[in-house]
Amino acid sequence: MVCCVRSRLREIVGASTNWRDHVQAMQERKALHTLLAKRQEDLPPRRMKDSYLEVILPLGSQPQIREKYLNVYNSVRFGRILEDLDSLGVLICYTHTKQEAQPRSPLSIVTALVDKINLRKKVVHPDCDIKFTGNVSWVGKTSMEVKMHMLQLHDGDYCPVLDATFVMVARDPENKRPAFVNPLIPESPEEEEIFKQGEMNKLKRIDFSTASLLKMAPTAEERNIVHDIFLNTLDTRTVSFRSRVLPPNSVWMEDAKLKGLQICHPQERNIFNRIFGGFLMRKAFELGWATACSCGGSRPFIVSVDDIMFQRPVEVGSLLLLSGQVCYTEKNYIQVRVHSEVYDADTREHHTTNIFHFTFISENEVPRVVPKTYGESMLYLDGKRHFAATMKEI
């Protein structure tokens, strides 16, 4: 069961279940520094099957846990699945790095990014068992890529529901500096291909980041798109740059956003006494879903999640500000960006913690979202890029 995953993680790092004991538990972890490897070469290599795990979520066989996962449409809450994937990904990495002689791991393994989650089914049933499987698929010096799959029992067989790729990083016992992890050795041509794909994913992320609209100007084609949108919204009666008219079946981008606030209580902490990444993903997804729902006017279904970067940890007690924005629409598809930041009441400073990208499909065709300002146009182009990358994958 998924709750067993979290219990196992607490055992591995020696985390306390009581919030008041967390300072002492973290002090005890300092002593584990001596167990860290000085070089990656000092660590024994691992195989992909060494980290393979299967976990059952018994929604069918244990109805008492069903309500936690149930949404109003009588299907499974995707936000809960994000939480479970995050916990499982960390446990898989601890399995990869496990040293037999050490009951407690000196490593602090945290989620660095969600590279991609692609769904194969629109609806997940709330009364059938779910199986999660996964293993480490690529390893750098201090980072690990994890591939996970979710399947659901139907007529006696487990059918694929989603595929997910996460990247985790290993840090020292105090979660301050990078730490080396065991190298990974592919054992077959198929595993060689999986490992090579992990390397390509890393390079693709670097390219995507390098071409970011926050760093580089849009391409010539993208500049033409923005200019065409501008021309199509000019008021021909006034011939003024300032006077803008919304085209038919459209919505201004500034009117396609929602905001939310979350107080981060100790209940939502992870094993290192920061706010659990899965909780942040769930909250961001739920705001993203609501944003897509209010824009499209009908129930949206999640198609893909991509490029969630965990830029900084969220401390317990933080005020978490979430902002959901529809960036791009095409036919029935809605591309939503959720920006999360923490507000420090003492310094009155805002710091970005995450940016989430969600692709939804609506039951009906949705209005076209139209940017007004240059900043909104950049959001529009960024959303269009993410949407194109998702469509290429699925």
Side-chain angles (χ1 to χ4, degrees):
M1 279 180 64
V2 176
C3 60
C4 298
V5 170
R6 291 179 192 141
S7 300
R8 182 79 190 100
L9 287 172
R10 279 195 292 270
E11 289 170 16
I12 289 169
V13 301
S16 172
T17 52
N18 294 320
W19 166 244
R20 64 179 178 273
D21 299 334
H22 78 279
V23 174
Q24 184 187 339
M26 288 295 109
Q27 284 294 116
E28 289 171 2
R29 279 190 63 76
K30 285 185 181 179
L32 300 174
H33 267 282
T34 55
L35 302 176
L36 290 174
K38 301 287 187 290
R39 306 176 308 155
Q40 189 179 35
E41 293 75 19
D42 297 337
L43 293 165
R46 298 280 192 251
R47 301 163 297 176
M48 287 189 189
K49 64 184 179 186
D50 292 336
S51 61
Y52 179 81
L53 290 180
E54 283 188 7
V55 178
I56 301 294
L57 177 60
L59 295 179
S61 48
Q62 294 185 23
Q64 66 271 24
I65 66 166
R66 203 176 289 163
E67 189 143 318
K68 179 184 171 185
Y69 287 84
L70 194 65
N71 67 21
V72 71
Y73 298 103
N74 199 37
S75 61
V76 168
R77 293 169 62 183
F78 184 68
R80 291 292 187 199
I81 299 301
L82 289 175
E83 290 183 326
D84 294 342
L85 286 170
D86 192 47
S87 295
L88 180 62
V90 173
L91 183 58
I92 286 169
C93 289
Y94 273 118
T95 306
H96 173 83
T97 57
K98 182 175 169 56
Q99 308 295 339
E100 291 304 324
Q102 299 168 5
R104 283 191 183 175
S105 174
L107 300 176
S108 300
I109 296 175
V110 294
T111 308
L113 69 97
V114 178
D115 189 58
K116 182 69 74 175
I117 302 174
N118 286 331
L119 279 91
R120 302 189 187 197
K121 288 188 172 182
K122 279 170 77 173
V123 175
V124 184
H125 301 289
D127 52 359
C128 300
D129 284 3
I130 287 172
K131 178 163 73 174
F132 295 97
T133 69
N135 60 272
V136 171
S137 52
W138 174 87
V139 167
K141 292 280 186 189
T142 63
S143 60
M144 295 162 278
E145 182 190 86
V146 180
K147 287 204 177 297
M148 292 174 282
H149 310 280
M150 176 176 140
L151 308 96
Q152 186 157 42
L153 193 61
H154 186 70
D155 292 336
D157 292 319
Y158 277 103
C159 305
V161 175
L162 66 75
D163 306 302
T165 306
F166 282 48
V167 176
M168 310 293 186
V169 291
R171 300 174 71 77
D172 67 15
E174 296 176 80
N175 198 7
K176 289 181 178 176
R177 295 183 183 84
F180 293 115
V181 297
N182 303 64
L184 183 66
I185 297 178
E187 289 191 301
S188 66
E190 185 188 354
E191 288 190 359
E192 290 275 4
E193 194 57 41
I194 293 169
F195 191 88
K196 199 185 298 179
Q197 184 62 51
E199 192 64 44
M200 285 168 61
N201 288 344
K202 180 187 174 186
L203 297 172
K204 205 188 299 178
R205 285 192 294 272
I206 293 169
D207 289 345
F208 208 87
S209 172
T210 305
S212 166
L213 291 163
L214 293 170
K215 298 175 185 175
M216 288 183 68
T219 64
E221 183 189 354
E222 288 174 331
R223 288 198 294 273
N224 286 335
I225 289 169
V226 169
H227 195 64
D228 285 345
I229 291 172
F230 173 70
L231 293 177
N232 287 336
T233 59
L234 281 181
D235 188 345
T236 52
R237 295 168 303 173
T238 60
V239 199
S240 163
F241 283 107
R242 287 187 177 181
S243 186
R244 309 285 288 277
V245 175
L246 186 66
N249 302 317
S250 301
V251 59
W252 291 121
M253 189 180 273
E254 65 186 7
D255 297 326
K257 63 170 74 171
L258 288 177
K259 295 194 173 184
L261 166 69
Q262 194 69 38
I263 300 171
C264 298
H265 296 291
Q267 181 189 3
E268 313 301 346
R269 73 191 188 280
N270 64 14
I271 49 178
F272 304 113
N273 291 294
R274 301 264 178 57
I275 295 300
F276 171 44
F279 169 78
L280 301 175
M281 285 195 277
R282 173 164 67 85
K283 287 297 173 184
F285 167 76
E286 288 172 355
L287 181 67
W289 183 91
T291 308
C293 187
S294 63
C295 174
S298 60
R299 179 187 178 186
F301 297 88
I302 185 70
V303 173
S304 180
V305 181
D306 81 310
D307 197 26
I308 297 176
M309 183 77 75
F310 287 80
Q311 296 181 14
R312 63 161 62 206
V314 177
E315 302 292 343
V316 172
S318 300
L319 292 180
L320 184 71
L321 307 173
L322 296 161
S323 178
Q325 172 73 69
V326 175
C327 294
Y328 180 76
T329 57
E330 187 175 306
K331 296 177 182 173
N332 288 38
Y333 289 98
I334 306 171
Q335 188 70 36
V336 178
R337 178 185 189 265
V338 177
H339 176 266
S340 77
E341 60 183 14
V342 287
Y343 173 67
D344 189 320
D346 296 328
T347 62
R348 301 200 169 185
E349 290 180 333
H350 292 252
H351 297 287
T352 297
T353 59
N354 305 79
I355 294 170
F356 305 84
H357 300 274
F358 302 108
T359 307
F360 294 94
I361 188 167
S362 187
E363 291 174 323
N364 305 316
E365 191 155 328
V366 298
R368 188 181 174 206
V369 69
V370 181
K372 256 188 194 176
T373 65
Y374 187 79
E376 286 179 348
S377 297
M378 294 305 100
L379 277 178
Y380 179 90
L381 293 177
D382 186 58
K384 193 174 190 302
R385 286 181 181 184
H386 279 283
F387 177 71
T390 294
M391 290 297 105
K392 194 175 175 183
E393 289 241 347
I394 64 174

